[in-house]
Amino acid sequence: MSDFSINLEKNIHRNHYTIQSFAAQCEINRTLLQKYLSGQRFPKNKELLFRMIRHLYLTPEEKRELIESWKKEYLGEMVYYQHQSIRSMLESFGEMVHNREYNLSVSVDTQTEIRMSECAIPISSRHLLITSMWQVIEYECSHRRQQTV
């Protein structure tokens, strides 16, 4: 069983659904739901996932947990963790740059879109953003090497 299937099953039972009643509520085949719960399959699109979530009455934290476990299934663990690393790097990049003289602010929203807020250096394309990031990273690495010498 996968994290997603365990999480889904826990929430179905917590809401006192039977497999049959939850499948009917979400307008999906009971056999397909059984495959989701056994870890053999998972929803292939967000529309179905959010239809199921809507009927589970989850707290924001439970909803986030179920969505993240679905993303891990959908993308595969390795790609999922790579995305998490990139997101973390971009979020910390904004903090790192803000604390230095670069005066850039970068944030990543829930759909992993890159947004820039009033930059001292105008950045109009992803290429320029990536180039700027590498310049800052290279500067930081050389600066740290000098501090350790």
Side-chain angles (χ1 to χ4, degrees):
M1 287 179 61
S2 66
D3 288 345
F4 174 77
S5 59
I6 292 167
N7 210 334
L8 180 61
E9 184 174 36
K10 173 185 75 174
N11 286 300
I12 288 172
H13 291 300
R14 187 179 55 77
N15 281 281
H16 307 289
Y17 281 113
T18 63
I19 303 304
Q20 182 67 41
S21 65
F22 186 69
Q25 194 76 25
C26 296
E27 300 175 355
I28 59 174
N29 183 295
R30 181 193 57 78
T31 307
L32 182 60
L33 180 58
Q34 282 291 150
K35 289 181 180 181
Y36 293 162
L37 295 173
S38 69
Q40 293 174 336
R41 296 192 63 194
F42 61 93
K44 297 292 184 190
N45 62 55
K46 282 186 177 181
E47 181 185 301
L48 177 55
L49 174 68
F50 283 103
R51 190 176 339 142
M52 291 190 301
I53 287 171
R54 200 171 35 251
H55 295 289
L56 289 173
Y57 308 105
L58 304 174
T59 65
E61 180 58 28
E62 291 168 333
K63 181 179 176 180
R64 186 198 63 73
E65 200 174 289
L66 187 59
I67 291 169
E68 289 301 312
S69 64
W70 175 82
K71 283 180 186 177
K72 198 183 301 183
E73 285 290 312
Y74 184 78
L75 297 171
E77 274 194 49
M78 189 169 97
V79 173
Y80 172 80
Y81 287 117
Q82 287 173 342
H83 283 207
Q84 294 300 94
S85 295
I86 291 168
R87 171 177 287 213
S88 176
M89 182 192 75
L90 287 172
E91 288 170 347
S92 63
F93 176 75
E95 291 172 22
M96 178 180 76
V97 168
H98 182 71
N99 294 333
R100 292 271 183 200
E101 63 272 10
Y102 312 112
N103 198 21
L104 272 175
S105 176
V106 179
S107 66
V108 179
D109 71 10
T110 54
Q111 274 128 41
T112 60
E113 293 174 351
I114 299 170
R115 293 190 179 155
M116 306 300 292
S117 63
E118 297 187 45
C119 300
I121 305 167
I123 295 179
S124 58
S125 71
R126 287 185 180 173
H127 174 73
L128 288 173
L129 173 62
I130 292 168
T131 303
S132 299
M133 287 176 64
W134 277 114
Q135 288 172 350
V136 171
I137 291 167
E138 287 173 351
Y139 171 82
E140 290 296 324
C141 289
S142 66
H143 185 70
R144 286 191 180 140
R145 270 187 244 126
Q146 290 173 357
Q147 286 180 339
T148 58
V149 173

